[in-house]
Each structure stands twice: as C-alpha cells, then as structure tokens.
Amino acid sequence: MSLRAAFSARESTGEILFESESMLDRPRLYWQCRRGMLELDILLQGFLDAKFDVLTTVEQHAFIELLDYPDAILLEYMLGRMIPTDQRIANVVTQIRTPVAS
Amino acid sequence: MTIPVRKFDTLVIGAGGGGLRAALQLAQAEANVAVVSKVFPTRSHTVAAQGGMNAALANVSPDNWHWHMYDTVKGGDFLGDQDAIEYMCRAAPRLVVELEHIGVPFSRLDNGKIYQRPFGGQSQNFGGEQAARTCAAADRTGHAILHALYQQNIRAKTHFFDEYFAIDLIRDNDGCILGALVLEIETGEPLIIQAKTTLIATGGAGQLFRTNTNARINTGDGMAMALRAGIPLQDMEFFQFHPTGIAGKGMLISEAVRGEGGYLVNGDGERFMERYAPNARDLASRDVVSRAVATEIHEGRGCGPNKDYILLKVDHLGADVIRKRLPGIRDMVMTFLHIDPINQPIPIFPTAHYTMGGIPTNRFGQVVVPQQQGAEDIVPGLYAVGECACVSVHGANRLGGNSLLDIVVFGRAAGNHIIEYLKENRYGRTVVAQHSIDTALAHLARWDQRSQGVSNETVDGLRNELKAVMDHYCGVFRTEDVLRTGLDKVLKIEQRLQNVYLKDHSKIFNTARIEAFELENLVDLALATVASALARKESRGAHMRMDYPQRDDVKWLKHSLFFKGGQLDYKPVRMKPLTVEGFSPKPRVY
Ligand SMILES: Cc1cc2nc3c(=O)[nH]c(=O)nc-3n(C[C@H](O)[C@H](O)[C@H](O)COP(=O)(O)OP(=O)(O)OC[C@H]3O[C@@H](n4cnc5c(N)ncnc54)[C@H](O)[C@@H]3O)c2cc1C
C-alpha cells in the first residue's frame, strides 16, 4: 500500500491522521527510504537514522508524505534545484539537506 | 508447512526497464504475467539513468546501425557477441519510436525530430568523426521510460507483487525452471509463484563495492539465485568503474567537469595525469584515468590523512564558469560534501558503476549453459534480461547509453520468445520437484534457525567489510598478489557468514532478514568476481591487470563462466554477426 493511501487528511483543519499507526513502523519506513538512486538512499536513510525520532509529529508525517514522491522529483528537492510548494514538506526537505553536526 | 501457491504463465523477477518491457510484451499478448519487485516498481534503479539511450536515428549527425555496431564491438574490446550486438543496434531506432508512442517525452530538435547528444565512444563511419547518437528525455530518461512502462503494464493488467523478495528458483525433475519462492516483505510470509516461464531481470550488483554509483537495492540477487540453481555466471571480472566518484560516497561527478577544465592532483599537489596520458591528460578515456587514480593512491600519493583519495580541482575556473556550466555538479558537491567547489577541490575515488557480467543468455533472452563441448544449451523455461544478464552486448566494457537500449531491446525480444514458448507448451510442465521446494524453504529458514553463538558478527559489519575488501583487492588496481589476497579475504568472509545471526526473528517488515539474504548474494557474487579476475591474465576493457597490461587475443578472446563451487570454464565469443561481416580484434585506440 502506498504511504499516501494510508493517510486521511481532514480538509477543514488541515490536520493529518494516519489510518494506521503502523505506518510509523521504523522498518517499514526504512524500506520506503530504499530508492532507485544512491543519492536518495544516502540522504533519506541517513535522515531517518539521525533525525526522525526528534521530529515533531507534524514533521514526521511530512517526511512520510515526502517518501511517496517519485524519485526524480525527490532528487530535485534534495539537490535544492526545486522547492516543494507545500510548506511542511519544504521544511522537512530543508532539514534533510542540513548536515548533521559531527 | 504448506506454502500458498499462485500460478501464472510467466513470472518476471524485477520491475526495472528490462522486466517491465518484457512483461508489457507478454501482457499485451494476453499472457498471464506476474511481476515481483522488492521495491515499488518505479523505484527501480532504471530511474537513475539520466544520460540517455543510443539509437542510430541520424537526426543530428550522419549515422547508421552498422557504425553503432562497430562502436559497441570496439568499446567492448571485442569480447561482445556480435550476433546480439547486430540485433540490438538494428532494433534501436524502432525501439525509440515505440517508447515515444507509449509516452516517453524525448527531447526535440527545432525541426521536430528527436534530439540526440554525443557520448564517448560514438563515431561516424567506423571510427571517424564523433557521432551524436544518444536520445534523451531531458535528464530524466530512465525515469520517463520506467514510468511509461509501468503505466502501460497497469493498463495491460500485468499482476504486480510489490515489495516481494525473490529467494530462489524452483524447478521440476528435468531441471526445467517453474517459478520461484518469494517472500512478502510486509508479512514475512513465503509464497510460491509457479510459472511456465520465468524471467530474471533483477539489475546489477554495484553494492559489491564500497565506492559505487548504484542504489542500495542493487545487490545482484537474481545472479546469485541463478548461481545457486547451478547456472554459471559469465564475465564477472568485467566491472565498469567511473574515475571520478565522490570519495567515500560513490556518486558520480560527470566527465563534464574535466571537459570544462577541471584537473586531478595527488597528495603532492602534482597534476599526475601528465605522466599517464601526456596528450589527453585529464581527458583520457575512463579506464585510463581510473587506473591512474588507483595507481597514485596505491603508491602512497593519495590525499588526506589516510592518503586514500585524489582531488579534482575546479576552483581555478572561477565562480562564474562553475555556476553557469557546472551547476548540477556544484549542487551535488554542496549537498553531499557540504563544500563549495568554487573554493575547494572535490575528493574523488574511482566508483563501481556497471556490471558487464551476469547470467549467460542468447539474443532471445534464453539462459544458456555449457554442455560437454562448450555448446550453449538452453535451460528450459528460464530467461534473463538487463544488467543481471550477459547476452553479451557490452563485452568487456559498456558504452554510455547502451544499457537502457539493452534492457528495452532484449526485454522485448525475451517477451516475444516467451510468447512462442507458451504457444508451444500450452499445458506446460506442472509438477514442481519437492526437493526443489524443500531446498528453497531450507534456505529461507536458515537465518531463523541460527541462534546466537559466541560471535558478534553482524550483517552490517560483514557487508561493510566485504565491500571494503572488494574496493581494495578487486577494484581498478588488479595484480596477481592483490587479487589472490582478495580471494582469501572473500573466502574468509564466506566462512564468517555462517556465524552471523539475526537478533530480530519477527516476521512483519523484517528488513534485517532481507538484508541478510542480500549479503549472502553479495558474497557469492564477490567470489565469482574475484575468482574470474584472478584467472584472466590479460587486460581487456574494464579488467585491468597491472601485471598483464596487454590484451591477449590468442589466449583470452573468450567468455569466462564461474560456477557456484568455484570452478571456471570458458566459451568462445560469437564473432559472427547475423548478416554482415564480423569485426576482427584490433588495437582499441581512441
Ligand atoms: C547513476 C547511473 C546512471 C546511469 N545512466 C545511464 C544512462 O544514461 N544510459 C544508460 O543506457 N544506462 C545508464 N545506467 C545504467 C542503467 O541505468 C542500468 O543498467 C539499467 O537501468 C538496468 O535496468 P534493469 O531493468 O536491468 O534493472 P533495474 O532497473 O536495476 O531493476 C531491477 C529490478 O529488480 C528488482 N529486484 C532485484 N532483486 C530482487 C529480488 N531479490 N526480489 C524481487 N525483486 C528484485 C528490483 O526491485 C527492481 O525492480 C546508469 C546507471 C547508474 C548507476
């Protein structure tokens, strides 16, 4: 099932609910971060490992939604060549692009 | 344990361009087709191909399929099978038009014809002026092809098993392949997909190396499945390296950077390419530059605290040139290295890019194995196409733009052949040998039966070690000593694999278990690669032996075949094309 299909968006409030909390399963998300391009694997899996847990719920949901985008579009976002119009998604993309302090 | 069984005319393992092109041909002919993919189909690695696909359309420069054929034979250092190469190059223009008809938006010239860009190794008139042969849908060719094929398959009612992982092939008592045992990743439940014909299209194995350009899904599963089923792997020593990958990460920095005036320096600040290629210097061909970089590092002249990379300097080009001509590269470097190439040089290392070797097939995609006198015998019911197969059109070295072509041409050809096979075998073979199911199930259960021992080996740890060993001992810099050490190390890793256990035995989305299967596959393929490389005592195409620097057509104009037990065999190259005169080996100079 696509991750997006697992959402139901409440239009009036813009609040997003998961049909099933299992969508937040770590291994499932990990597999969704396996993509057709190495660039995306590195950024998405790295972000999941390093930062996902400290995100707010809204940010976590935005990240999960982002994973439903096609690879070619994701690459444009990740390399900063395109900016998502949805502010929540744009915010999470910025976070993915920010290096983890080492 | 009873395992559910689903039955189809054809099982296609892999939903990249190769698998989907074959599936489409079949579904449109009303065959009942199942496609299994470990990731959602449009996340297959084909999506990464940006450059384009070759076809002699002659829209930009004079061109014809025969020149394309010559370039492919020569590019492959005469190891390619010339019947398959002729077939591919002749079919190319038609296949491009076909893709366009199913919705691939190829870029256009002002006159409305399909735009074509020049790529390395393309010539007019058998080695003359540069040709422009590569058709592209902007820089998203692979994405466009994959999405168009997926949509068409949905329309044609192909049955998709998304996020299912294929474990092993199953067969009847006569050795005819009848499908595969697969695992639903979400539930962890096994399923037998029984089919009259099975096509493997699982892509390449770039994950064998630490530094590579491939997506992490590229673990060569189908090739390893074939090995376990007793099928040898062909020409595994031929792995294409791109000279300038981002060090430690692998992503590709295109030749365009050196084309614009970027150059390489070693740890002493020396422009070392002058020593290796006094004329072409940094613009020498990929194999020459890769070898030079590897040699500098091997001889202790690398950069950085561990002297393990080389620097690609572009800062002298100035901010304007970099911003204007190399924006994509700058984005990439800034995103992954967090440095700006306007001020700082880029650390690079040769990166593993393409698996020329694979499952041996003929030009119909049928898997062929040697019998007594080196003949090619067909494995009934089994086909392979794409990067996992070795048909062999790329020989010892693939030309850019020929791989997308390969997957659609042979995907279609295999589809057509299967349609004929199904007509002739309408009722097919139906009895899967119980021992074949038992063997596959035992393989599946092995990871769960193993309990924690004294060792603290992990899948991640061993995989990282394997990849580092392959970088060091089976990369660009190959000698007898280096490869022998590599073989020892891989054999030890193979033994240590027995000590790895899984902490998590849960079924639901147990990705650790999937990664354990992938590691097993990689270990088998690493052995095939190192052993084949150690045996081949010559330099040809991508396989460069420092101790045997010349190509040796007398002894080595032949394909290698590696069997699971470790034996090697050889078979002749098909030097005779279908309708034209063959091209005889001559020095490969550009
Ligand atoms: C960065 C990059 C750029 C490239 N650019 C170009 C280019 O411009 N032009 C060109 O011609 N070539 C290019 N190539 C090469 C080309 O992209 C590939 O060779 C080609 O796409 C391979 O297609 P495929 O169908 O064989 O396999 P893939 O597209 O890799 O698909 C493999 C499929 O098999 C499935 N699979 C694998 N294992 C299993 C399993 N165990 N169970 C179930 N499913 C499984 C996967 O899920 C996937 O669906 C490039 C390669 C790279 C790395």
Side-chain angles (χ1 to χ4, degrees):
Chain A
M1 180 182 14
S2 112
L3 286 172
R4 191 175 299 168
F7 283 122
S8 57
R10 275 196 196 159
E11 279 169 27
S12 53
T13 60
E15 185 191 346
I16 291 170
L17 292 178
F18 286 95
E19 276 171 8
S20 147
E21 275 305 310
S22 73
M23 279 297 142
L24 282 169
D25 280 354
R26 208 35 182 276
R28 184 188 300 267
L29 281 180
Y30 175 76
W31 203 252
Q32 300 307 321
C33 292
R34 274 215 179 192
R35 313 299 292 211
M37 300 176 190
L38 178 64
E39 289 83 348
L40 300 180
D41 287 340
I42 291 179
L43 289 174
L44 298 174
Q45 287 185 350
F47 182 76
L48 181 70
D49 286 345
K51 296 201 205 153
F52 185 79
D53 288 339
V54 297
L55 297 181
T56 65
T57 313
V58 171
E59 288 169 335
Q60 287 186 340
H61 290 186
F63 177 70
I64 293 169
E65 212 174 319
L66 178 72
L67 295 181
D68 258 1
Y69 284 62
D71 283 7
I73 304 292
L74 277 181
L75 186 70
E76 296 295 302
Y77 289 163
M78 292 303 145
L79 296 185
R81 293 178 197 156
M82 259 166 60
I83 297 170
T85 43
D86 183 330
Q87 194 50 50
R88 289 171 314 115
I89 306 271
N91 168 38
V92 87
V93 166
T94 307
Q95 296 202 48
I96 297 171
R97 281 175 47 76
T98 310
V100 187
S102 54
Chain B
M1 168 160 146
T2 32
I3 311 283
V5 180
R6 300 280 304 268
K7 293 187 180 173
F8 292 89
D9 290 330
T10 304
L11 165 64
V12 175
I13 307 173
L20 290 188
R21 185 63 191 81
L24 182 60
Q25 200 71 10
L26 287 155
Q28 286 176 338
E30 315 259 305
N32 190 12
V33 190
V35 175
V36 169
S37 174
K38 64 178 172 179
V39 294
F40 190 74
T42 53
R43 292 179 193 166
S44 301
H45 188 54
T46 295
V47 82
Q50 302 189 335
M53 162 176 166
N54 298 338
L57 299 177
N59 288 353
V60 170
S61 63
D63 208 355
N64 68 57
W65 67 263
H66 202 188
W67 299 350
H68 182 186
M69 175 179 172
Y70 168 81
D71 290 340
T72 304
V73 172
K74 177 180 165 194
D77 225 351
F78 299 89
L79 193 73
D81 287 337
Q82 297 193 20
D83 56 342
I85 297 175
E86 176 178 343
Y87 179 79
M88 176 176 85
C89 297
R90 271 178 181 274
R94 186 157 46 112
L95 268 286
V96 169
V97 173
E98 239 180 61
L99 284 174
E100 179 157 63
H101 287 166
I102 64 162
V104 177
F106 284 109
S107 304
R108 304 246 151 219
L109 292 162
D110 287 343
N111 65 11
K113 290 186 172 172
I114 290 176
Y115 161 80
Q116 297 191 279
R117 55 169 66 125
F119 254 33
Q122 299 178 349
S123 76
Q124 300 179 36
N125 211 5
F126 310 106
E129 275 175 55
Q130 173 77 42
R133 190 175 290 143
T134 307
C135 312
D139 60 358
R140 292 189 192 164
T141 315
H143 164 89
I145 292 176
L146 195 61
H147 279 254
L149 287 172
Y150 181 63
Q151 293 306 334
Q152 294 294 324
N153 269 287
I154 293 287
R155 196 171 298 170
K157 304 225 173 353
T158 297
H159 192 108
F160 281 96
F161 290 86
D162 298 341
E163 297 186 339
Y164 278 69
F165 185 86
I167 303 276
D168 267 321
L169 299 169
I170 52 171
R171 58 204 323 168
D172 69 6
N173 274 325
D174 298 330
C176 180
I177 302 295
L178 289 181
L181 174 72
V182 304
L183 189 72
E184 183 177 15
I185 299 175
E186 177 163 18
T187 60
E189 294 299 336
L191 169 70
I192 287 171
I193 300 187
Q194 193 181 324
K196 294 173 197 157
T197 48
T198 303
L199 177 128
I200 306 177
T202 46
Q207 289 304 323
L208 273 174
F209 296 89
R210 184 176 54 180
T211 313
N212 75 80
T213 63
N214 285 198
R216 288 186 179 153
I217 43 179
N218 281 20
T219 50
D221 302 341
M223 298 182 208
M225 283 166 63
L227 257 187
R228 282 194 295 273
I231 293 152
L233 293 181
Q234 183 173 321
D235 295 342
M236 288 301 284
E237 63 272 43
F238 297 100
F239 215 106
Q240 186 171 65
F241 290 85
H242 193 289
T244 55
I246 294 185
K249 310 233 182 217
M251 287 83 71
L252 213 131
I253 301 284
S254 113
E255 265 111 353
V257 175
R258 282 169 289 137
E260 291 294 343
Y263 60 82
L264 299 165
V265 292
N266 64 17
D268 304 332
E270 183 203 2
R271 278 190 76 168
F272 59 88
M273 277 313 299
E274 291 171 354
R275 274 190 277 120
Y276 295 87
N279 295 324
R281 296 195 294 187
D282 296 87
L283 287 176
S285 62
R286 281 185 190 178
D287 47 351
V288 173
V289 182
S290 294
R291 202 176 350 160
V293 169
T295 306
E296 289 301 296
I297 293 171
H298 189 82
E299 294 179 355
R301 290 186 295 278
C303 305
N306 300 322
K307 296 180 184 292
D308 54 359
Y309 57 83
I310 287 295
L311 288 171
L312 173 57
K313 250 176 81 65
V314 285
D315 49 341
H316 61 285
L317 299 176
D320 278 356
V321 172
I322 295 175
R323 281 208 185 92
K324 216 179 285 163
R325 305 237 188 90
L326 303 168
I329 307 293
R330 183 167 175 247
D331 292 342
M332 182 89 104
V333 172
M334 287 175 47
T335 303
F336 288 97
L337 294 174
H338 311 297
I339 60 172
D340 188 341
I342 288 179
N343 314 310
Q344 267 178 282
I346 311 166
I348 61 98
F349 189 84
T351 182
H353 189 45
Y354 185 85
T355 321
M356 264 83 68
I359 305 164
T361 73
N362 62 20
R363 72 189 157 85
F364 306 107
Q366 293 175 288
V367 174
V368 289
V369 293
Q371 293 292 321
Q372 283 85 23
Q373 303 303 322
E376 296 188 323
D377 260 35
I378 284 150
V379 180
L382 186 62
Y383 293 75
V385 297
E387 198 169 333
C388 70
C390 185
V391 41
S392 118
V393 284
H394 309 300
N397 177 50
R398 173 193 73 116
L399 288 187
N402 261 358
S403 164
L404 286 180
L405 176 62
D406 164 9
I407 63 181
V408 293
V409 167
F410 293 104
R412 180 177 177 280
N416 281 335
H417 199 276
I418 292 172
I419 292 167
E420 291 308 311
Y421 180 97
L422 291 172
K423 273 188 205 147
E424 286 160 21
N425 297 272
R426 200 168 295 251
Y427 301 104
R429 295 160 180 257
T430 49
V431 187
V432 180
Q434 191 57 43
H435 64 79
S436 147
I437 294 179
D438 292 345
T439 309
L441 286 175
H443 179 199
L444 180 62
R446 206 152 59 218
W447 283 104
D448 291 326
Q449 283 161 352
R450 229 179 260 170
S451 56
Q452 180 167 359
V454 279
S455 98
N456 47 14
E457 300 273 17
T458 62
V459 170
D460 280 354
L462 208 56
R463 184 184 52 230
N464 291 340
E465 214 176 307
L466 176 74
K467 291 166 70 155
V469 164
M470 291 300 284
D471 260 20
H472 277 115
Y473 301 99
C474 198
V476 176
F477 193 96
R478 295 177 175 183
T479 65
E480 187 81 11
D481 284 351
V482 166
L483 289 164
R484 207 167 276 290
T485 313
L487 184 60
D488 281 351
K489 287 183 183 287
V490 177
L491 284 168
K492 290 209 176 88
I493 288 175
E494 188 191 35
Q495 278 172 4
R496 285 165 53 198
L497 190 61
Q498 308 307 317
N499 304 331
V500 180
Y501 67 94
L502 294 178
K503 288 199 191 95
D504 175 6
H505 293 281
S506 64
K507 284 196 157 172
I508 310 292
F509 251 104
N510 187 343
T511 52
R513 192 163 170 229
I514 299 293
E515 289 186 345
F517 286 116
E518 290 176 338
L519 173 62
E520 268 181 344
N521 292 337
L522 285 174
V523 171
D524 279 349
L525 299 184
L527 274 179
T529 307
V530 189
S532 307
L534 177 62
R536 186 175 283 271
K537 295 184 179 8
E538 66 156 354
S539 290
R540 182 185 297 270
H543 172 68
M544 217 83 64
R545 287 281 302 249
M546 304 297 169
D547 43 355
Y548 298 94
Q550 303 303 324
R551 195 177 75 198
D552 181 350
D553 291 323
V554 177
K555 288 195 192 133
W556 289 103
L557 187 59
K558 56 188 179 185
H559 295 295
S560 359
L561 295 169
F562 174 91
F563 291 80
K564 173 96 169 99
Q567 320 87 291
L568 278 160
D569 195 356
Y570 295 91
K571 69 174 187 184
V573 176
R574 289 170 166 269
M575 301 298 288
K576 199 170 161 1
L578 300 171
T579 65
V580 289
E581 289 264 309
F583 295 107
S584 319
K586 55 181 189 182
R588 184 168 148 261
V589 280
Y590 286 103

